[in-house]
Amino acid sequence: MYIPKFFKITNDDEIWDFVQNHSFGTIITAEQGKPIATHLPLGVIKNGDDSYITGHMAYGNPQWRTFEACDNVLVMFQGPHAYVSSSWYSHENVPTWNYQAIHMYGKASILERNELIEDLTRMLEKYEQNREKPVLWDKLSPELLETQLKGIVGFKIKVEEIQAAYKLSQNRNETDYMNIIDKLQKEENPHSKQTAEQMEKRIKK
């Protein structure tokens, strides 16, 4: 991913916090030179200095069969994004687009049964814990779980390289930066409002 120096993010805690909060990602591999992509909810495992992206896909999805031959699996995470009109600047310029995106590269491997169950348990706890009637692993019938396990393949990707870009008008002067926030907040598009929120957060750091 091309990242100009203004927009490069290197803070490890910030990057992993972003991944946790924008965990619906895209996994990209290749088969005979043709890119393949799957969109999935993903998890994170931290094991000392090693970091892993985890998840599962349908057994019928052929992409998991490409993992063994693929030295570098690409996982993409994206946050809010918004069009920025150059009419919001104090000088003549061209429009642009603000966004947040993180790319992670690594080698994938298939989870063993017990690892898959642990990963599914964590995922349910993450997304169900604040529900009125949480659907957790130990509340589901063994028969249902066994049937579902046969239909999926779990995987983990050991993260070897991270590229993180927050293109949030950091290269603009203070007047233009604040005006962009104001204009985005007034847009109807929820992504525009969320992008403005992210820009505000960077002022407070």
Side-chain angles (χ1 to χ4, degrees):
M1 175 167 56
Y2 170 64
I3 310 175
K5 63 179 181 179
F6 291 108
F7 312 132
K8 187 174 184 178
I9 303 299
T10 58
N11 184 286
D12 194 61
D13 291 336
E14 184 175 8
I15 288 170
W16 287 106
D17 184 63
F18 180 95
V19 170
Q20 292 280 18
N21 291 319
H22 301 85
S23 56
F24 192 77
T26 303
I27 295 181
I28 300 173
T29 59
E31 183 176 33
Q32 297 180 347
K34 181 179 180 180
I36 305 172
T38 301
H39 309 277
L40 295 169
L42 299 167
V44 174
I45 293 178
K46 288 281 196 175
N47 184 13
D49 293 332
D50 294 332
S51 300
Y52 296 87
I53 297 297
T54 65
H56 63 276
M57 60 180 62
Y59 183 86
N61 184 338
Q63 186 175 22
W64 67 268
R65 300 180 187 277
T66 68
F67 287 162
E68 184 176 351
C70 189
D71 290 330
N72 264 303
V73 175
L74 168 59
V75 187
M76 300 192 304
F77 301 91
Q78 184 171 315
H81 55 89
Y83 177 78
V84 176
S85 172
S86 57
S87 66
W88 301 343
Y89 302 155
S90 57
H91 57 281
E92 184 180 27
N93 210 314
V94 294
T96 189
W97 208 281
N98 279 2
Y99 64 89
Q100 292 176 291
I102 290 177
H103 290 186
M104 293 184 171
Y105 296 85
K107 178 67 177 177
S109 58
I110 302 302
L111 294 178
E112 300 291 340
R113 176 188 169 90
N114 64 315
E115 293 177 308
L116 174 57
I117 290 174
E118 289 175 4
D119 197 56
L120 293 169
T121 301
R122 280 193 298 268
M123 183 170 288
L124 285 173
E125 288 175 349
K126 176 180 179 180
Y127 294 109
E128 290 283 345
Q129 61 181 337
N130 295 319
R131 307 286 177 175
E132 183 178 348
K133 296 180 180 181
V135 180
L136 300 174
W137 184 265
D138 58 4
K139 293 185 178 181
L140 294 168
S141 69
E143 295 79 13
L144 174 64
L145 295 176
E146 190 61 36
T147 299
Q148 295 302 313
L149 284 171
K150 291 178 180 177
I152 61 176
V153 176
F155 60 86
K156 64 180 179 181
I157 300 165
K158 185 177 180 181
V159 178
E160 302 288 354
E161 180 183 353
I162 298 174
Q163 299 173 355
Y166 289 6
K167 184 178 177 296
L168 297 172
S169 300
Q170 299 98 313
N171 57 331
R172 302 299 172 189
N173 62 52
E174 182 178 356
T175 299
D176 289 349
Y177 191 90
M178 298 306 297
N179 195 47
I180 293 167
I181 292 175
D182 179 65
K183 297 295 186 182
L184 289 175
Q185 288 173 335
K186 294 175 181 177
E187 296 274 293
E188 294 296 326
N189 189 330
H191 278 289
S192 297
K193 297 181 186 298
Q194 292 166 17
T195 301
E197 290 175 6
Q198 293 303 314
M199 292 178 66
E200 283 188 314
K201 285 182 181 179
R202 303 209 73 74
I203 299 174
K204 299 173 183 177
K205 287 188 175 182

PDB file of all heavy atoms in Angstrom, residues 169-180:
ATOM      1  N   SER A 169      -6.178  14.283   6.340  1.00  0.00           N
ATOM      2  CA  SER A 169      -5.855  15.707   6.103  1.00  0.00           C
ATOM      3  C   SER A 169      -4.756  16.236   7.017  1.00  0.00           C
ATOM      4  O   SER A 169      -4.698  17.436   7.299  1.00  0.00           O
ATOM      5  CB  SER A 169      -7.111  16.579   6.251  1.00  0.00           C
ATOM      6  OG  SER A 169      -8.114  16.207   5.343  1.00  0.00           O
ATOM      7  N   GLN A 170      -3.849  15.331   7.463  1.00  0.00           N
ATOM      8  CA  GLN A 170      -2.762  15.783   8.328  1.00  0.00           C
ATOM      9  C   GLN A 170      -1.828  16.759   7.626  1.00  0.00           C
ATOM     10  O   GLN A 170      -1.086  17.488   8.288  1.00  0.00           O
ATOM     11  CB  GLN A 170      -1.938  14.589   8.825  1.00  0.00           C
ATOM     12  CG  GLN A 170      -2.703  13.575   9.658  1.00  0.00           C
ATOM     13  CD  GLN A 170      -3.159  12.387   8.840  1.00  0.00           C
ATOM     14  OE1 GLN A 170      -3.707  12.554   7.755  1.00  0.00           O
ATOM     15  NE2 GLN A 170      -2.938  11.179   9.345  1.00  0.00           N
ATOM     16  N   ASN A 171      -1.855  16.774   6.294  1.00  0.00           N
ATOM     17  CA  ASN A 171      -0.972  17.656   5.538  1.00  0.00           C
ATOM     18  C   ASN A 171      -1.591  19.026   5.283  1.00  0.00           C
ATOM     19  O   ASN A 171      -1.015  19.846   4.559  1.00  0.00           O
ATOM     20  CB  ASN A 171      -0.599  17.008   4.207  1.00  0.00           C
ATOM     21  CG  ASN A 171      -1.814  16.655   3.359  1.00  0.00           C
ATOM     22  OD1 ASN A 171      -2.894  16.387   3.889  1.00  0.00           O
ATOM     23  ND2 ASN A 171      -1.653  16.638   2.056  1.00  0.00           N
ATOM     24  N   ARG A 172      -2.745  19.303   5.877  1.00  0.00           N
ATOM     25  CA  ARG A 172      -3.403  20.601   5.705  1.00  0.00           C
ATOM     26  C   ARG A 172      -3.091  21.521   6.887  1.00  0.00           C
ATOM     27  O   ARG A 172      -2.809  21.045   7.995  1.00  0.00           O
ATOM     28  CB  ARG A 172      -4.925  20.434   5.586  1.00  0.00           C
ATOM     29  CG  ARG A 172      -5.354  19.525   4.438  1.00  0.00           C
ATOM     30  CD  ARG A 172      -4.911  20.062   3.099  1.00  0.00           C
ATOM     31  NE  ARG A 172      -5.154  19.102   2.023  1.00  0.00           N
ATOM     32  CZ  ARG A 172      -4.701  19.242   0.788  1.00  0.00           C
ATOM     33  NH1 ARG A 172      -3.964  20.295   0.456  1.00  0.00           N
ATOM     34  NH2 ARG A 172      -4.963  18.327  -0.129  1.00  0.00           N
ATOM     35  N   ASN A 173      -3.184  22.821   6.643  1.00  0.00           N
ATOM     36  CA  ASN A 173      -2.960  23.755   7.743  1.00  0.00           C
ATOM     37  C   ASN A 173      -4.126  23.691   8.740  1.00  0.00           C
ATOM     38  O   ASN A 173      -5.182  23.117   8.449  1.00  0.00           O
ATOM     39  CB  ASN A 173      -2.743  25.185   7.225  1.00  0.00           C
ATOM     40  CG  ASN A 173      -3.957  25.717   6.475  1.00  0.00           C
ATOM     41  OD1 ASN A 173      -5.085  25.688   6.976  1.00  0.00           O
ATOM     42  ND2 ASN A 173      -3.737  26.207   5.254  1.00  0.00           N
ATOM     43  N   GLU A 174      -3.934  24.286   9.896  1.00  0.00           N
ATOM     44  CA  GLU A 174      -4.913  24.169  10.979  1.00  0.00           C
ATOM     45  C   GLU A 174      -6.289  24.708  10.578  1.00  0.00           C
ATOM     46  O   GLU A 174      -7.323  24.100  10.888  1.00  0.00           O
ATOM     47  CB  GLU A 174      -4.415  24.902  12.225  1.00  0.00           C
ATOM     48  CG  GLU A 174      -5.362  24.772  13.409  1.00  0.00           C
ATOM     49  CD  GLU A 174      -4.839  25.465  14.652  1.00  0.00           C
ATOM     50  OE1 GLU A 174      -3.702  25.988  14.620  1.00  0.00           O
ATOM     51  OE2 GLU A 174      -5.569  25.491  15.665  1.00  0.00           O
ATOM     52  N   THR A 175      -6.308  25.815   9.871  1.00  0.00           N
ATOM     53  CA  THR A 175      -7.584  26.420   9.458  1.00  0.00           C
ATOM     54  C   THR A 175      -8.356  25.477   8.549  1.00  0.00           C
ATOM     55  O   THR A 175      -9.557  25.241   8.752  1.00  0.00           O
ATOM     56  CB  THR A 175      -7.345  27.757   8.735  1.00  0.00           C
ATOM     57  OG1 THR A 175      -6.686  28.653   9.627  1.00  0.00           O
ATOM     58  CG2 THR A 175      -8.661  28.371   8.283  1.00  0.00           C
ATOM     59  N   ASP A 176      -7.682  24.950   7.545  1.00  0.00           N
ATOM     60  CA  ASP A 176      -8.341  24.029   6.614  1.00  0.00           C
ATOM     61  C   ASP A 176      -8.752  22.735   7.321  1.00  0.00           C
ATOM     62  O   ASP A 176      -9.839  22.208   7.075  1.00  0.00           O
ATOM     63  CB  ASP A 176      -7.414  23.702   5.443  1.00  0.00           C
ATOM     64  CG  ASP A 176      -7.231  24.895   4.504  1.00  0.00           C
ATOM     65  OD1 ASP A 176      -7.980  25.879   4.646  1.00  0.00           O
ATOM     66  OD2 ASP A 176      -6.348  24.826   3.636  1.00  0.00           O
ATOM     67  N   TYR A 177      -7.897  22.243   8.197  1.00  0.00           N
ATOM     68  CA  TYR A 177      -8.180  21.008   8.914  1.00  0.00           C
ATOM     69  C   TYR A 177      -9.473  21.136   9.719  1.00  0.00           C
ATOM     70  O   TYR A 177     -10.358  20.262   9.656  1.00  0.00           O
ATOM     71  CB  TYR A 177      -7.013  20.682   9.849  1.00  0.00           C
ATOM     72  CG  TYR A 177      -7.051  19.299  10.461  1.00  0.00           C
ATOM     73  CD1 TYR A 177      -6.446  18.219   9.835  1.00  0.00           C
ATOM     74  CD2 TYR A 177      -7.672  19.083  11.693  1.00  0.00           C
ATOM     75  CE1 TYR A 177      -6.466  16.954  10.404  1.00  0.00           C
ATOM     76  CE2 TYR A 177      -7.698  17.816  12.275  1.00  0.00           C
ATOM     77  CZ  TYR A 177      -7.087  16.760  11.621  1.00  0.00           C
ATOM     78  OH  TYR A 177      -7.117  15.503  12.195  1.00  0.00           O
ATOM     79  N   MET A 178      -9.598  22.226  10.457  1.00  0.00           N
ATOM     80  CA  MET A 178     -10.790  22.422  11.280  1.00  0.00           C
ATOM     81  C   MET A 178     -12.028  22.639  10.410  1.00  0.00           C
ATOM     82  O   MET A 178     -13.131  22.203  10.759  1.00  0.00           O
ATOM     83  CB  MET A 178     -10.585  23.614  12.221  1.00  0.00           C
ATOM     84  CG  MET A 178      -9.450  23.441  13.221  1.00  0.00           C
ATOM     85  SD  MET A 178      -9.587  21.920  14.206  1.00  0.00           S
ATOM     86  CE  MET A 178     -11.118  22.244  15.088  1.00  0.00           C
ATOM     87  N   ASN A 179     -11.852  23.277   9.276  1.00  0.00           N
ATOM     88  CA  ASN A 179     -12.989  23.507   8.379  1.00  0.00           C
ATOM     89  C   ASN A 179     -13.465  22.197   7.757  1.00  0.00           C
ATOM     90  O   ASN A 179     -14.675  21.981   7.584  1.00  0.00           O
ATOM     91  CB  ASN A 179     -12.613  24.502   7.281  1.00  0.00           C
ATOM     92  CG  ASN A 179     -13.840  25.037   6.563  1.00  0.00           C
ATOM     93  OD1 ASN A 179     -14.828  25.430   7.204  1.00  0.00           O
ATOM     94  ND2 ASN A 179     -13.806  25.065   5.245  1.00  0.00           N
ATOM     95  N   ILE A 180     -12.527  21.314   7.436  1.00  0.00           N
ATOM     96  CA  ILE A 180     -12.896  20.004   6.892  1.00  0.00           C
ATOM     97  C   ILE A 180     -13.725  19.228   7.914  1.00  0.00           C
ATOM     98  O   ILE A 180     -14.745  18.624   7.575  1.00  0.00           O
ATOM     99  CB  ILE A 180     -11.640  19.210   6.488  1.00  0.00           C
ATOM    100  CG1 ILE A 180     -10.941  19.874   5.301  1.00  0.00           C
ATOM    101  CG2 ILE A 180     -11.997  17.767   6.131  1.00  0.00           C
ATOM    102  CD1 ILE A 180      -9.552  19.352   5.024  1.00  0.00           C
TER     103      ILE A 180
END
